[in-house]
Amino acid sequence: MPLLLLDLDNTLVDRDAAFRAWGALFLADLGAPAYDLDWLVDADADGMTSRWDLADAIKERYRLRTSVVDIVDELHEGQIASTKFDPMVGAALRIAADAGWVPVIVTNGETRQQEAKIRHTGLDRFVADWVISQEVDCRKPNPRIFEIAAERVRMRLRGAWMIGDGPEADIGGATTIGIPSVWIHRGRRWVEPRFGPTRVADGAIQAVAEVLAADPQYRMR
């Protein structure tokens, strides 16, 4: 039974769409112009900006009297509420599990928010477990976080695959631990010369299909 390691944001769920949906509502409530959504998305930097730094930027731009703590809470709760799960992704994970793969989420981020996304979307019903960087005090591409994922389900990394959209965190991490990977390109070109994905896909469903296509036991069925 091989291990299937999966990123969360912009892999199993569309974080970009969730952030934009939340941002549009948030800005409308403030009375800000709709085009400010582009500023908000740029400031978020695909989730790489600290929530505290983003909250500070929002507070300063709109001269809000709301506390930074309250804005951070809005960022957390609003995005969780806006995060949707594609049932077809769930079906793909079921097919992988039926084929003998053990899906485990490995995600960078804050424990409260990432776990809330997993439970809110119902993803917890489709995976064996999950590992969140804040919880275990190490982030992808650190090999230790992948080792912890394997330990959680009492498996080895040998034979595992990694699926994710992050060139460094996901594909670089997979390269470091010596396992194959599928990169979800999100319309981007691969530019990292030091390493590369084993396969490329346009979303989680195709990525799971790529892993199954590479599984000789699955092909023989």
Side-chain angles (χ1 to χ4, degrees), residues 1 5 7 27 37-38 43 50 59 70-71 73 79 87-88 103 147 164 182-183 196 201 207 215-216 220-221:
M1 295 179 67
L5 303 172
D7 178 43
L27 293 174
L37 183 59
D38 289 336
S50 156
K59 182 178 173 69
D70 287 341
I71 298 173
D73 283 342
Q79 191 167 349
M88 295 302 292
E147 294 168 357
V182 184
W183 180 53
D215 182 351
M220 290 173 62
R221 296 187 177 190

Side-chain angles (χ1 to χ4, degrees), residues 167 183 185-192 200:
W183 180 53
H185 61 75
R186 297 171 59 205
R188 301 165 296 173
R189 294 179 57 192
W190 186 266
V191 295
E192 174 56 66
V200 177

Side-chain angles (χ1 to χ4, degrees), residues 47-106:
M48 298 303 292
T49 303
S50 156
R51 300 303 84 183
W52 294 95
D53 290 345
L54 182 57
D56 274 330
I58 291 170
K59 182 178 173 69
E60 181 177 351
R61 182 179 180 89
Y62 299 107
R63 300 178 181 177
L64 302 179
R65 294 183 179 180
T66 309
S67 72
V68 171
V69 172
D70 287 341
I71 298 173
V72 168
D73 283 342
E74 171 63 24
L75 283 163
H76 280 297
E77 302 305 321
Q79 191 167 349
I80 291 166
S82 298
T83 300
K84 309 299 180 186
F85 183 54
D86 183 350
M88 295 302 292
V89 173
L93 293 176
R94 288 285 192 217
I95 291 169
D98 289 345
W101 290 81
V102 179
V104 176
I105 296 171
V106 184

Side-chain angles (χ1 to χ4, degrees), residues 5-13 46 48 106-108 139-141 146 162-176 181-186 188-192 194-199 201:
L5 303 172
L6 300 135
D7 178 43
L8 178 61
D9 290 322
N10 290 322
T11 296
L12 293 179
V13 297
D46 214 18
M48 298 303 292
V106 184
T107 176
N108 288 343
R139 297 173 55 85
K140 297 181 293 184
F146 301 103
M162 177 72 205
I163 294 175
D165 73 301
E168 184 74 27
D170 298 319
I171 309 309
T175 302
T176 300
S181 60
V182 184
W183 180 53
I184 296 178
H185 61 75
R186 297 171 59 205
R188 301 165 296 173
R189 294 179 57 192
W190 186 266
V191 295
E192 174 56 66
R194 297 172 299 162
F195 53 82
T198 309
R199 301 201 177 189

